[in-house]
Amino acid sequence: MTDRSDCIFCRIADGAFGTDIVAENEHAVAFRDIQPQTPSHVLVVPRKHITGLRELEPEDGELTVGVLQLAREVARREGLLDGGYRVTTNDGADAGQTVFHLHFHVLGGRRLTEPLG
Ligand code: 5GP
Ligand code: ZN
């Protein structure tokens, strides 16, 4: 299992690379995806290292709310509330997960015609 020292998103959340932080709260940090798929494409990650949705524990309830509230705040700051936006997470290989630290994609800024995330 990946731990904080070799997890790219833990390191970004810790400020290791000077990545521009779009928004943050007690539980989560948001930054722009390095390969944006939409005009606005921001990743929201919990500060705590969790490999994916499957690893979420019952005691992570406050963290989960904090992550989703930050996703919504990102959408507001990006001006997406009127037009609409999508929040997705990929859990596991078949879903296309490539970074094994739980993250939610906040996607918007164009019409999302793809039927799936
Ligand atoms: P996944 O495929 O796991 O759902 O999403 C991982 C996302 O992280 C991809 O969209 C990818 O472009 C993004 N990503 C991977 N490495 C980095 C990085 O070092 N910095 C940033 N900002 N995004 C990254
Ligand atoms: Zn991590």
Side-chain angles (χ1 to χ4, degrees):
M1 183 178 129
T2 313
D3 73 9
R4 294 191 68 86
S5 59
D6 60 8
C7 171
I8 189 90
F9 286 176
C10 279
R11 299 197 65 198
I12 289 174
D14 286 345
F17 306 116
T19 303
D20 193 30
I21 300 301
V22 173
E24 60 186 314
N25 65 20
E26 180 188 350
H27 295 289
V29 172
F31 51 89
R32 297 194 187 282
D33 196 291
I34 203 166
Q35 275 192 301
Q37 296 173 38
T38 49
S40 178
H41 184 173
V42 175
L43 300 173
V44 177
V45 313
R47 294 182 188 277
K48 177 181 172 185
H49 181 82
I50 299 171
T51 58
L53 199 57
R54 70 188 62 199
E55 300 291 335
L56 210 57
E57 301 289 349
E59 62 266 26
D60 294 321
E62 275 186 34
L63 174 153
T64 305
V65 172
V67 169
L68 289 175
Q69 284 177 331
L70 192 62
R72 187 257 177 216
E73 174 61 13
V74 165
R76 188 189 69 76
R77 290 191 192 189
E78 294 286 300
L80 303 176
L81 293 184
D82 285 345
Y85 60 101
R86 186 175 290 171
V87 178
T88 66
T89 191
N90 297 319
D91 189 22
D94 276 358
Q97 185 177 8
T98 58
V99 177
F100 291 88
H101 177 128
L102 177 64
H103 54 281
F104 290 85
H105 299 254
V106 180
L107 300 155
R110 68 165 167 82
R111 186 85 180 171
L112 299 174
T113 52
E114 302 90 336
L116 299 173

